Amino acid sequence: MLTIINLPPELFAKFCTFLSPADLLSLSQVCRKFRGYLCAPNSSTTQQIWKESRLQFISKEDMPPPEGMNEEKYVLLLMTERGCQICKKNKECKIYWEFEVRCCKSCFTVNTISKDIIKTKYSQEFLDIIPYRHHVGFFDNEILYWEKQIDLIYSKYCNLPKENLQSWLNDRKHTFNSIMEYSKQRISKDKADTPYVPSLNFWPPISMLEPVELPSLSFIPQFIPIRRNNTSIQSPDEPKRNQFIKSEKKKSTIKFHDNYTSSHMKGKNFKNKFVHRYG
């Protein structure tokens, strides 16, 4: 009985031409047989399946993969919707072609190292074959390397015999030139494919703004009273108000004095009345 598992490789490859890269990735995880069909780096049929899927389903990606990278790895690298390849959490990521990795900003910061830090540890002969990336900072530009890439290449560099070292350096130099040239082409292509959208924060530039003449402030009325010789301008009713306050204070003082006098005379009058009544 013919099932999808028992399909001939020719029919399987024909069916895969109708699948997107995400579907091919899911299909490669079904069983070992499908994984062998879709994850064979040395198979021309496998590479053709991924290439046709890339050209059909990924827009504006007609550039071939960089030298030394197969179509499967190239297509998986272009799938930015899958997010960061390192933390597997952040969906906002970017492809760094110098390092052949897709990651977010935080993972990029953690996994890169500046040339100023390692230039005393490694020889210039070794650093000349390591791909790097120019990072634009606030004050200056710095050259960044991928730390894991340095460790991997440096282990090979140290274990080589002297008679094979120069030929290995020449091969690595050729690979380095190819990677850096491909990175430049990808950067220019991404700039050409990205539509220009002016930023609202910096548009229009200050140089394009016409100078505006501010109006004179002499016409604004002054509501604050002008003080002259530590005195303020009084209203016509101010003397009457002061006279009323003084009279009220005087009345309250007289009333308080009468209450005080009557409270102290109460004991004396009470004693006189008691003597008059009872003798």
Side-chain angles (χ1 to χ4, degrees):
M1 181 179 179
L2 184 63
T3 61
I4 189 172
I5 303 296
N6 300 326
L7 281 177
E10 296 80 8
L11 287 177
F12 181 81
K14 186 64 176 178
F15 291 153
C16 289
T17 56
F18 301 99
L19 300 179
S20 63
D23 295 333
L24 290 177
L25 183 62
S26 301
L27 187 61
S28 66
Q29 300 172 356
V30 171
C31 62
R32 293 183 178 179
K33 189 173 183 179
F34 289 170
R35 185 170 183 82
Y37 287 154
L38 296 174
C39 300
N42 298 325
S43 174
S44 58
T45 304
T46 299
Q47 304 309 314
Q48 187 64 27
I49 290 174
W50 288 99
K51 180 180 179 179
E52 292 181 1
S53 179
R54 168 175 63 85
L55 296 175
Q56 184 177 357
F57 291 97
I58 303 180
S59 60
K60 299 180 181 181
E61 288 298 342
D62 52 351
M63 282 187 65
E67 184 179 354
M69 182 184 292
N70 56 42
E71 279 287 344
E72 177 195 354
K73 185 178 179 181
Y74 182 52
V75 173
L76 295 179
L77 189 62
L78 293 173
M79 297 172 65
T80 55
E81 67 275 3
R82 293 177 59 84
C84 179
Q85 291 180 319
I86 299 176
C87 66
K88 312 291 185 181
K89 298 177 181 179
N90 198 342
K91 294 298 182 180
E92 297 181 3
C93 57
K94 181 180 179 180
I95 300 176
Y96 299 94
W97 295 102
E98 299 86 354
F99 311 131
E100 297 180 355
V101 67
R102 183 185 70 243
C103 65
C104 57
K105 289 184 179 180
S106 58
C107 291
F108 177 80
T109 304
V110 171
N111 289 275
T112 53
I113 188 170
S114 176
K115 183 180 180 180
D116 298 334
I117 301 176
I118 63 173
K119 64 181 180 181
T120 58
K121 182 180 179 180
Y122 302 101
S123 63
Q124 189 61 37
E125 179 188 44
F126 173 74
L127 293 177
D128 289 341
I129 62 173
I130 306 299
Y132 61 87
R133 181 179 179 85
H134 282 287
H135 178 69
V136 180
F138 289 101
F139 302 103
D140 56 354
N141 300 339
E142 59 179 347
I143 295 177
L144 298 179
Y145 296 96
W146 195 260
E147 284 193 85
K148 293 182 180 179
Q149 193 178 50
I150 290 179
D151 297 339
L152 178 62
I153 299 177
Y154 190 69
S155 62
K156 297 179 181 179
Y157 175 78
C158 294
N159 296 327
L160 283 172
K162 291 183 179 181
E163 57 270 14
N164 298 332
L165 181 60
Q166 190 60 42
S167 61
W168 182 82
L169 288 174
N170 294 336
D171 294 340
R172 287 298 312 178
K173 188 64 176 179
H174 173 74
T175 305
F176 166 78
N177 294 333
S178 176
I179 292 175
M180 299 304 294
E181 182 63 27
Y182 187 84
S183 301
K184 292 179 182 179
Q185 295 177 5
R186 291 296 309 198
I187 292 174
S188 60
K189 179 182 180 300
D190 293 341
K191 288 182 179 180
D193 294 341
T194 304
Y196 174 72
V197 179
S199 176
L200 297 178
N201 296 331
F202 303 97
W203 188 262
I206 299 176
S207 59
M208 295 179 60
L209 295 176
E210 297 181 359
V212 179
E213 184 178 356
L214 296 177
S216 176
L217 301 179
S218 60
F219 69 96
I220 300 178
Q222 300 293 332
F223 295 100
I224 303 175
I226 301 176
R227 292 183 177 273
R228 297 175 181 175
N229 299 328
N230 296 330
T231 58
S232 59
I233 300 176
Q234 297 181 354
S235 62
D237 297 333
E238 191 70 16
K240 295 182 180 180
R241 179 176 176 275
N242 295 337
Q243 186 65 28
F244 174 77
I245 293 174
K246 291 181 181 180
S247 61
E248 289 295 324
K249 286 183 178 181
K250 186 176 181 180
K251 290 180 181 180
S252 61
T253 303
I254 295 172
K255 185 176 180 180
F256 173 78
H257 179 72
D258 295 341
N259 293 336
Y260 179 80
T261 305
S262 60
S263 63
H264 280 69
M265 292 298 294
K266 181 177 180 181
K268 185 177 180 181
N269 296 336
F270 177 79
K271 183 178 179 181
N272 295 335
K273 290 181 180 179
F274 183 82
V275 172
H276 177 72
R277 177 176 297 183
Y278 300 100

